Amino acid sequence: MQKIDKIYINGEFLTPHGTERFELFNPATEEVIGTIQLADVEDTRRAIAAAKAAFPEWSRTTKVQRIAALKRMHAAVVACEEELLEAIITEYGAPAARSRWMASYPADVILQVMQTLESFEFEEQAGIAKVILCPVGVAGLITPWNSDAGFICNKLATALAAGCTAVIKPSEMSAIQTQIITEALHKAELPAGVFNIVTGRGEVVGAEISRHPDIAKISFTGSTAVGKGIIESGAATLKRVTLELGGKSPTIILDDADAATVVPMALMAGFMNSGQACIAGTRILVPRSRLTEFEQAFSRAVEQIQSGSPRDEKTDIGPMVSRKQWERVQSYIRLGLEEGATLLTGGEGRPAGFDKGWLVKPTVFTQVNNQMRIAREEIFGPVLSIIPYETEADALKIANDTDYGLNAMVLSGSLERGLRVARQIETGRVLVNTLAHEPQAPFGGVKQSGLGREMGKWGLMAYLEPKTLLMG
């Protein structure tokens, strides 16, 4: 049983002013594994004040000094990988197929930001003017529970590389992971106040960050509903905002695709991170002329996918993060049946052999139309919908008929054809015949999937404002 009763402000571990206790669970067993004492508004204001005080000096550091700080951060986070891995498995329930990547990614992303910074130019000539890129100020970084340490390190490293200072509000459901990463970052010996970490509820700590006049920039990853609230709260002070929000990503399987090749890729895209991923390809569009063939192929393939204990090496899909999330996913499975979709595989309840743990059967519906709620709303669990289409133009119309636009996939026997289709999808990123990730490319969404971009030089520029200098 872990008892976490410290937050991190101005280079020190402090007891929060807030007194609320929040229970932490092992989602595979439903057992309480710890408690955290949550920060409140007063704690948040102290953290913001510390970041504001540290900003003038940090904003004047050189690129060389910032790279040196990032190197220390990288080394410290590498050193905690095994401890972080255990926390990811215990607190989040990520299976072996995912947890090792989640444990190594925080250090990797710091290295990626370092590489971006090394080649980044903060000054350029524009005619007779000199344009300099200046850090915006104190950044409020609000991160979700589905990749806690990775989001903290990505956002923090980028903000620091730009010359900003930061106040981080991680999810309270990931407190053990946050504690490990905070202790690691403390060992990097950054100047006091440059980063501060206050774990608390979104409606308390997150809300204060969103409205506080000394926060110049917010980077938020989470739900679309909360993202809209952040824009409203920040409007009074015209905060700069980067939002990476929800998704209902389409996977278009073209009629020239080989089923044996593309079905496993489509399932990997849909079930990634146990389905708890904003980029998950949960709408699978298949040609109606080959619908029966693909239904059979998906049914056979899902039989090989195991939902179970994250400590079992054979597990592909781990438990949902909380009872609330498990109940949400179950309600959508019921809704799919009520809406008239055909259950191809999976369904309600836990997998066979389990009477505990927030486990969901890998579930695929077919004969889904794009107006059903299971095709329009983000479920955030291992529930996929097969939607038949008539023509390529029809597939594109269905793919783009969504409030979201974060990610998409096109699977085709012809790369040239796949690229042509990909160019017509309204989304921030499209994968064509691949599941690869490129950290130097911009990541973010269109429509209600967000504002702005993270990663690469585009992510760094989001923390900078151009200033024009004209000299006589």
Side-chain angles (χ1 to χ4, degrees), residues 120-388:
F120 192 85
E121 296 297 333
F122 287 86
E123 297 186 7
E124 65 177 283
Q125 202 70 26
I128 64 169
K130 182 183 289 292
V131 179
I132 60 174
L133 297 176
C134 306
V136 297
V138 178
L141 312 177
I142 304 175
T143 64
W145 43 258
N146 63 333
S147 186
D148 177 75
F151 279 111
I152 289 173
C153 288
N154 178 29
K155 292 181 189 292
L156 177 60
T158 307
L160 296 182
C164 296
T165 55
V167 177
I168 304 168
K169 191 220 87 69
S171 170
E172 61 273 23
M173 290 193 289
S174 306
I176 297 173
Q177 297 163 71
T178 296
Q179 182 74 5
I180 293 167
I181 212 70
T182 305
E183 290 172 353
L185 292 170
H186 175 71
K187 293 175 183 175
E189 297 182 340
L190 273 66
V194 165
F195 78 96
N196 307 270
I197 301 180
V198 281
T199 302
R201 293 189 180 276
E203 61 270 26
V204 179
V205 175
E208 182 63 19
I209 289 172
S210 299
R211 63 177 171 251
H212 198 288
D214 291 336
I215 294 287
K217 154 85 181 179
I218 293 178
S219 179
F220 168 77
T221 299
S223 73
T224 297
V226 174
K228 291 177 179 179
I230 287 172
I231 291 177
E232 292 176 1
S233 298
T237 51
L238 292 179
K239 297 189 192 310
R240 278 55 180 152
V241 178
T242 299
L243 304 175
E244 195 261 279
L245 307 176
K248 196 68 183 176
S249 300
T251 294
I252 300 179
I253 300 178
L254 295 178
D255 58 13
D256 62 354
D258 173 59
T261 301
V262 303
V263 165
M265 294 177 69
L267 289 176
M268 287 181 68
F271 289 150
M272 67 170 64
N273 203 12
S274 305
Q276 298 177 128
C278 51
I279 61 173
T282 52
R283 292 186 298 146
I284 303 174
L285 281 57
V286 305
R288 189 179 295 277
S289 60
R290 297 179 63 189
L291 179 60
T292 300
E293 175 193 354
F294 276 109
E295 285 177 339
Q296 292 172 349
F298 275 106
S299 183
R300 289 192 300 268
V302 173
E303 287 178 2
Q304 307 304 312
I305 295 175
Q306 183 169 312
S307 175
S309 167
R311 297 192 182 278
D312 185 339
E313 290 293 326
K314 297 178 182 178
T315 294
D316 303 291
I317 297 174
M320 301 298 93
V321 72
S322 67
R323 178 177 295 278
K324 180 180 179 181
Q325 185 62 23
W326 184 82
E327 290 174 348
R328 172 185 169 87
V329 176
Q330 296 298 315
S331 72
Y332 271 103
I333 294 173
R334 290 192 296 273
L335 177 63
L337 296 170
E338 292 166 6
E339 290 184 308
T342 299
L343 184 65
L344 185 66
T345 184
E348 282 188 78
R350 295 178 175 84
F354 292 92
D355 57 6
K356 281 188 177 181
W358 297 313
L359 295 164
V360 175
K361 300 173 187 175
T363 297
V364 180
F365 285 100
T366 188
Q367 300 287 358
V368 177
N369 71 66
N370 204 49
Q371 301 313 307
M372 293 179 180
R373 285 177 58 194
I374 59 169
R376 303 202 69 82
E377 300 175 11
E378 187 175 42
I379 298 172
F380 228 63
V383 181
L384 312 181
S385 296
I386 295 177
I387 304 173

Side-chain angles (χ1 to χ4, degrees), residues 429 437-444 453-459:
R429 185 178 74 167
H437 171 64
E438 175 47 68
Q440 294 302 314
F443 179 76
R453 294 294 182 267
E454 295 185 293
M455 311 303 291
K457 66 179 182 181
W458 295 269

Side-chain angles (χ1 to χ4, degrees), residues 88-134:
I88 288 167
I89 294 170
T90 303
E91 183 181 50
Y92 178 58
R98 180 76 179 181
S99 56
R100 175 56 70 179
W101 177 87
M102 290 178 70
S104 62
Y105 178 72
D108 290 345
V109 80
I110 295 172
L111 191 60
Q112 292 158 11
V113 172
M114 247 182 350
Q115 292 167 348
T116 298
L117 180 57
E118 285 171 349
S119 60
F120 192 85
E121 296 297 333
F122 287 86
E123 297 186 7
E124 65 177 283
Q125 202 70 26
I128 64 169
K130 182 183 289 292
V131 179
I132 60 174
L133 297 176
C134 306

Side-chain angles (χ1 to χ4, degrees), residues 254 256-257 410-420 432-433:
L254 295 178
D256 62 354
V410 179
L411 299 171
S412 173
S414 164
L415 181 59
E416 182 180 357
R417 184 184 178 194
L419 286 170
R420 177 172 53 77
V432 182
N433 291 349

Side-chain angles (χ1 to χ4, degrees), residues 48-75:
I48 294 170
K52 181 182 179 182
F55 175 71
E57 184 173 351
W58 183 255
S59 67
R60 292 192 293 268
T61 53
T62 65
K63 184 192 290 192
V64 170
Q65 289 171 315
R66 293 175 198 172
I67 289 172
L70 291 172
K71 284 182 178 178
R72 297 196 303 273
M73 288 170 58
H74 177 259

